Amino acid sequence: MSKANSSTDTGARTEESDTGARTVEAAAGNAYEDTAAEREQERVDHAAGEQLSTAPREERPESGTGVPAMGVVGWIRWFWRQLTSMRVALILLFLLSLGAIPGSLIPQTSVDDLKVQNFKDQHTTLTPIYEKLQLFDVYSSVWFSAIYILLFVSLIGCIVPRTGQFVGQLRSRPPGAPKRLTRLPAYTTWRTEAEPEAVREAALGVLGKRRFRAHPVGDAVAAEKGYLREAGNLVFHIALIVMLVAFAAGQLFKSEGGKLVVEGDGFANTLTQYDDFKSGSLYDSDSLAPFSFVLDDFVGTYEESGPQRGTPRTFEARVKYTEGADGPERKSVIRVNEPLVVDGTKVYLIAHGYAPVVTVRDGKGKVVLRSSVPLLPIDNNITSTGAIKVMDGYRDKNGAKTQLGFKAFFVPTFAGHGKGQMFSQFPGAEFPVLALSAYRGSLGVDSGLPQNVYQLDTSKMKEFENEDGELLKKMLRPGEKLDLADGEGSITFDGIEEWASFQISQQPGNGWALGGAIAAIAGLAGSLFIQRRRVWVRAVRGADGVTVVEMAGLGRSESAKLPEELGDLAAALITTAPVAPEKPDAPEKPATNEAGSRPVHPADAPAEGAEK
């Protein structure tokens, strides 16, 4: 293959540089002029090779004694060319990928405030540095947004001019045949007694059946195929823009909240019902989808025996939901990764645990609290901790209003007394035990400061004491009770209910992002596996009156399939223009083309019409 035929396909955009170097692409059309100087031939072929590319052209200042000053406009044009170059786009993609790493490793405020606060408490030295670098809010940080916007602009700046050039190529016809087809890398020739006009007409039919765009030009037929390669390239870039827009829209208009629901309780999709709620900066709370649901039952099954004992098998939240204010009631089952979808809002099952049912009475036997209290799991066997708080309605033996608090520790399957620490042996509720310790005083809920519902602040409380003057505590089985000292009342462990935690999220850009990802894969596959190539068929009458047929092919990139395809086309054309019988005085030594290939007689080996 000559230098004029070497090509480089970046698959996306031609890489430009400030030195003005251009990517040499496949030569085609009238690129091949019969000149004696090799340098002039390279210049002509290079100019014609650009016809196969839709990459933006770079203007180069004429050589001279000095380089003129660029000026403001010149610097702007230079910056724009750099921004829309393949090199800068790859750098921005790489930086975007690097920027996402701390967002995955470091707790994010937009995901979990509690984890962020715990991280800050444990890493007092790193916290100021991370805060200055905005590493707790990576995806909304200034530097991440700058990379994101620059990449967006870079893609648009490449697609717009490239699309215009591609449309122009689609509207144009393939260029005429080069003067000397022997210079092309894939070449074959033979002599036939058919008329030149009949050969060219047959070539149009053969090429048309192979989905080539073909038309006669002078004494030859010019054809081209593989336009979907550049179309796939453009689709890939457009799909990237769609994904970027979808990601941005999802971050700006998203809403996400959590809700813990005990069996028998429900949830209505309003802001006041959420345990926690986060949304994008452009989110409107009026756009919350109107629906509600009730958790009828939660079912969890686990492996009963063997080395996998305790491994979860099924988690199902059986709910009844209503869409709209007065819609019909429907039943559904929410499983892990199988959310309930209502009007574009998805309800995911993310966690579950146990809620012991307790009854608290005062010294006169009056019930001051009867409730199921969710506890927080601390291991895979759902050993749970929490707090039971009696904030109103309780009076001590003197009739004074006060508050009660109980630290709770629950195990669904207790190993038994004297069998190690009190940790659950199995996640199922086979032998439930609730351990309580009692306090009285001020819970601190009137201070106006938020409290963790799973923790008990005993700084303003006093312990209930047993007969030995120690903290009053007891382990209870369902149905048992703990009597408070001095006839102050009691607390009874009535039974167990289960709770489920749900994440209610609305992501408006997910569908567009998925479509963009699929389109990007399809476009990338097209740009990688489709080869753009040109074929010319010339038929002229020789000096002895016999028609000479020449066929040549040129691809935008090197491919071993091009000579095979040319051989198949020659084999199809030879049925209409058969090889003329050789004359006795015909030379036996075949000629070689100028690209270094030796034409093989189609009648002998039509599948290998040329060698590279």
Side-chain angles (χ1 to χ4, degrees), residues 188 563-572 574 600-610:
T188 187
E564 298 178 5
E565 185 176 31
L566 188 69
D568 293 339
L569 292 171
I574 207 171
V600 180
H601 200 287
D604 298 331
E608 299 180 357

Side-chain angles (χ1 to χ4, degrees), residues 288-558:
L288 283 173
F291 71 92
S292 61
F293 68 86
V294 175
L295 177 61
D296 285 341
D297 187 25
F298 180 87
V299 179
T301 60
Y302 311 90
E303 188 67 34
E304 297 286 345
S305 59
Q308 299 296 321
R309 172 177 163 81
T311 302
R313 292 306 179 198
T314 59
F315 287 149
E316 296 182 350
R318 300 171 183 176
V319 300
K320 295 178 182 176
Y321 72 96
T322 301
E323 185 174 356
D326 53 357
E329 187 177 73
R330 299 184 178 92
K331 291 185 178 181
S332 181
V333 177
I334 305 175
R335 301 180 178 88
V336 178
N337 296 326
E338 295 182 17
L340 169 67
V341 182
V342 183
D343 194 16
T345 301
K346 295 183 178 180
V347 182
Y348 293 91
L349 174 65
I350 59 173
H352 88 287
Y354 292 100
V357 181
V358 296
T359 300
V360 180
R361 294 177 173 85
D362 61 12
K364 297 181 180 181
K366 177 184 176 182
V367 176
V368 295
L369 175 69
R370 178 179 284 120
S371 176
S372 53
V373 183
L375 301 181
L376 184 66
I378 60 174
D379 62 17
N380 293 333
N381 287 327
I382 320 185
T383 302
S384 307
T385 64
I388 302 172
K389 301 178 183 180
V390 181
M391 293 178 284
D392 298 308
Y394 177 79
R395 293 177 182 270
D396 61 15
K397 61 182 179 180
N398 299 321
K401 291 184 178 180
T402 187
Q403 295 175 330
L404 298 180
F406 301 88
K407 289 184 178 180
F409 195 89
F410 175 77
V411 287
T413 302
F414 183 48
H417 293 284
K419 295 184 179 180
Q421 296 179 340
M422 185 179 172
F423 281 92
S424 180
Q425 306 300 306
F426 187 75
E430 296 185 350
F431 188 26
V433 172
L434 176 65
L436 297 173
S437 55
Y439 299 81
R440 58 184 169 184
S442 175
L443 293 170
V445 296
D446 300 327
S447 63
L449 298 176
Q451 282 191 346
N452 190 326
V453 296
Y454 301 106
Q455 294 179 352
L456 184 65
D457 182 7
T458 60
S459 59
K460 297 181 180 180
M461 305 189 78
K462 295 182 179 180
E463 300 176 350
F464 278 100
E465 298 179 352
N466 57 19
E467 297 176 354
D468 299 328
E470 298 177 349
L471 174 64
L472 179 64
K473 54 185 178 181
K474 187 178 181 180
M475 298 173 59
L476 306 178
R477 291 274 293 140
E480 297 178 350
K481 71 176 180 177
L482 168 63
D483 292 319
L484 303 179
D486 301 328
E488 296 283 353
S490 65
I491 178 171
T492 305
F493 179 24
D494 297 324
I496 305 169
E497 291 182 351
E498 294 190 68
W499 58 262
S501 182
F502 299 94
Q503 177 180 292
I504 300 95
S505 63
Q506 186 177 4
Q507 297 279 355
N510 283 354
W512 285 98
L514 177 60
I518 295 174
I521 295 174
L524 184 61
S527 65
L528 291 177
F529 299 110
I530 298 176
Q531 183 191 22
R532 189 171 172 188
R533 62 272 194 198
R534 287 173 176 167
V535 172
W536 293 272
V537 180
R538 175 176 285 145
V540 295
R541 193 177 301 278
D544 56 356
V546 179
T547 301
V548 178
V549 182
E550 289 183 291
M551 293 186 67
L554 179 67
R556 184 176 174 182
S557 59
E558 295 185 20

Side-chain angles (χ1 to χ4, degrees), residues 185 187-188 589-593 595-601 608-612:
Y187 172 83
T188 187
K589 183 179 179 180
T592 59
N593 68 346
S597 299
R598 171 176 295 180
V600 180
H601 200 287
E608 299 180 357
E611 298 177 5
K612 297 188 70 174

Side-chain angles (χ1 to χ4, degrees), residues 164-185:
Q165 294 179 22
F166 180 59
V167 171
Q169 289 186 3
L170 290 178
R171 298 177 62 182
S172 63
R173 290 187 171 188
K179 186 175 181 180
R180 300 179 66 177
L181 292 177
T182 55
R183 291 189 173 186
L184 300 185

Side-chain angles (χ1 to χ4, degrees), residues 78-97:
W78 177 85
F79 176 78
W80 177 254
R81 288 183 185 133
Q82 299 306 308
L83 182 60
T84 56
S85 67
M86 183 64 175
R87 176 182 58 191
V88 173
L90 291 175
I91 292 174
L92 291 173
L93 280 172
F94 180 69
L95 291 177
L96 200 67
S97 302

